[in-house]
Amino acid sequence: MDNADVVVAWIDQQTGVVFAVDYTLVDRSQCSRGRGVCPDTSLGNQNDIRDIEGSEENGVTTIKFSRSLSTGDSRDIDYLTIGPQYAVWAIGQINRQGQLNIVTKHSDRTPGDLVINFARLSTDTCQPVIRRSIAAPIPVWTPSVLSGRTVKQFHFTIGPSGGQPGYKSVTGNEPWGIAYYVNGLLIPELILKRGETYEFLIETGDEADSPSSYHPVYISDDPVGGFVLQSVAEQNALRVYKGIQPNREPDPNAVGGLCEFLVTDIRKKPEDFPTFEQYKDNMRFTCKANVRTPGRFLWTIARNTPSQLYYQCYQHRYLGWKINIVDNY
């Protein structure tokens, strides 16, 4: 929900440390340059969450915290004491990257309207939480591959990440909720040959002031992505082959209007589909503009190009995947 005041809470599985962090949902995208799902501290405000404690027992995670009804922080919404107030609740994953904890898009949320009455007496009215029965095994979709032996043009668009069966099972990383689709396939591994030339068509969004509709492509040795989110030292350490200009901005040829695959029945989850092909049958393809304006560039693979590179998003982390460079198919 845009402009919602949110607390993101979790228990670190490695250290057991309990976190509860003040967030603002500025936009429906990863936090980038002050837009997206951002901690208040990254926006010049403060984390107003206090008295944090939590535990995990019998498969149930419990986290408690407190916050002032009115913090005086411009990013926080006051908790009302004159009656019920609408709230949202969702559950998702955290991507741990060094010291960063990257919030991914939720996988479950409250159905209908949730109302909390902060005016009532402070008593625990929560019902006991019962651990779910063991769920059915989550399907693992077969990873896609596109070989330059038969494919010379690669068309980049955007689509749903496929959650655990899709992006997570292929890369080992938690997806944000969207990912690159190349020639209609979810993050396929590309196999390209040194000395050959390939064409790249980019329709992944060109609205720089709207992070959820802006996903320029770049090719480098960066396994994570999010070039703009990295420090100058981190950027300098990368070997970039396509998509980034000397001024560190996206190459206009690697930016194009937005075309994307959208799920038609949102009640169904990726885990409900045994294969990616069946999952894709629950999608429709649409382009934002009536007149399509794809970015386009050619890439001739030099003889000294490393054996493994990645196609990634300039604006966000964890949208792309591998490119394998070979001498012979």
Side-chain angles (χ1 to χ4, degrees):
M1 179 178 291
D2 293 349
N3 299 313
D5 178 18
V6 174
V7 177
V8 178
W10 73 97
I11 298 178
D12 190 292
Q13 296 300 303
Q14 297 179 7
T15 65
V17 176
V18 184
F19 292 87
V21 183
D22 212 346
Y23 269 73
T24 299
L25 304 191
V26 185
D27 201 344
R28 299 182 187 185
S29 65
Q30 291 180 34
C31 186
S32 180
R33 296 197 277 192
R35 298 291 300 274
V37 180
C38 298
D40 284 14
T41 53
S42 72
L43 303 172
N45 296 77
Q46 61 186 15
N47 182 15
D48 294 291
I49 310 305
R50 302 288 182 267
D51 307 320
I52 304 165
E53 59 180 276
S55 63
E56 291 182 324
E57 186 175 355
N58 296 324
V60 177
T61 299
T62 302
I63 298 176
K64 297 180 180 181
F65 58 86
S66 63
R67 200 211 78 172
S68 298
L69 296 174
S70 179
T71 66
D73 192 322
S74 63
R75 293 287 178 180
D76 291 340
I77 296 175
D78 288 352
Y79 294 169
L80 303 180
T81 57
I82 56 174
Q85 188 170 15
Y86 286 107
V88 292
W89 178 92
I91 188 169
Q93 300 290 332
I94 295 286
N95 249 331
R96 184 74 177 268
Q97 184 190 346
Q99 297 301 312
L100 293 177
N101 294 296
I102 303 169
V103 176
T104 67
K105 188 176 180 179
H106 59 264
S107 54
D108 288 290
R109 62 181 176 84
T110 46
D113 295 329
L114 174 64
V115 176
I116 297 178
N117 187 354
F118 292 105
R120 66 172 174 79
L121 293 176
S122 180
T123 56
D124 187 350
T125 60
C126 295
Q127 297 298 315
V129 178
I130 301 175
R131 185 178 184 177
R132 291 179 179 175
S133 58
I134 298 175
I138 295 175
V140 175
W141 299 338
T142 302
S144 298
V145 177
L146 287 174
S147 172
R149 178 196 293 271
T150 55
V151 181
K152 304 301 180 185
Q153 183 186 83
F154 301 95
H155 179 208
F156 281 68
T157 55
I158 292 293
S161 66
Q164 300 292 314
Y167 192 97
K168 174 65 182 291
S169 68
V170 172
T171 69
N173 296 312
E174 296 294 343
W176 159 251
I178 59 172
Y180 282 138
Y181 278 51
V182 185
N183 293 6
L185 299 175
L186 170 62
I187 56 164
E189 181 177 320
L190 308 185
I191 302 176
L192 308 181
K193 183 179 177 181
R194 294 181 178 91
E196 293 195 351
T197 300
Y198 304 92
E199 181 182 27
F200 290 75
L201 298 179
I202 313 299
E203 291 188 297
T204 56
D206 56 3
E207 299 179 33
D209 59 347
S210 178
S212 60
S213 302
Y214 188 59
H215 310 288
V217 175
Y218 70 102
I219 296 172
S220 74
D221 59 355
D222 181 3
V224 174
F227 183 87
V228 73
L229 302 176
Q230 303 182 35
S231 68
V232 172
E234 290 171 328
Q235 292 175 351
N236 289 340
L238 297 176
R239 289 180 291 180
V240 178
Y241 293 83
K242 284 290 182 179
I244 306 292
Q245 300 181 104
N247 65 358
R248 306 178 192 274
E249 291 295 318
D251 183 337
N253 296 312
V255 181
L258 180 63
C259 289
E260 57 186 332
F261 291 90
L262 298 175
V263 171
T264 53
D265 187 349
I266 61 174
R267 296 170 298 178
K268 295 183 177 179
K269 298 180 180 180
E271 292 79 7
D272 296 330
F273 299 91
T275 68
F276 168 71
E277 289 72 22
Q278 290 171 296
Y279 179 56
K280 193 179 176 185
D281 286 341
N282 187 38
M283 300 183 202
R284 60 185 176 89
F285 184 72
T286 182
C287 295
K288 197 167 186 178
N290 292 327
V291 179
R292 294 167 65 171
T293 55
R296 176 184 179 273
F297 64 85
L298 300 177
W299 184 28
T300 300
I301 313 298
R303 295 295 177 184
N304 62 348
T305 302
S307 296
Q308 186 168 290
L309 297 175
Y310 299 85
Y311 55 89
Q312 298 288 7
C313 175
Y314 173 86
Q315 186 86 349
H316 305 109
R317 301 177 177 95
Y318 301 117
L319 262 67
W321 191 225
K322 291 179 181 178
I323 303 175
N324 285 324
I325 308 297
V326 299
D327 288 323
N328 296 288
Y329 292 120

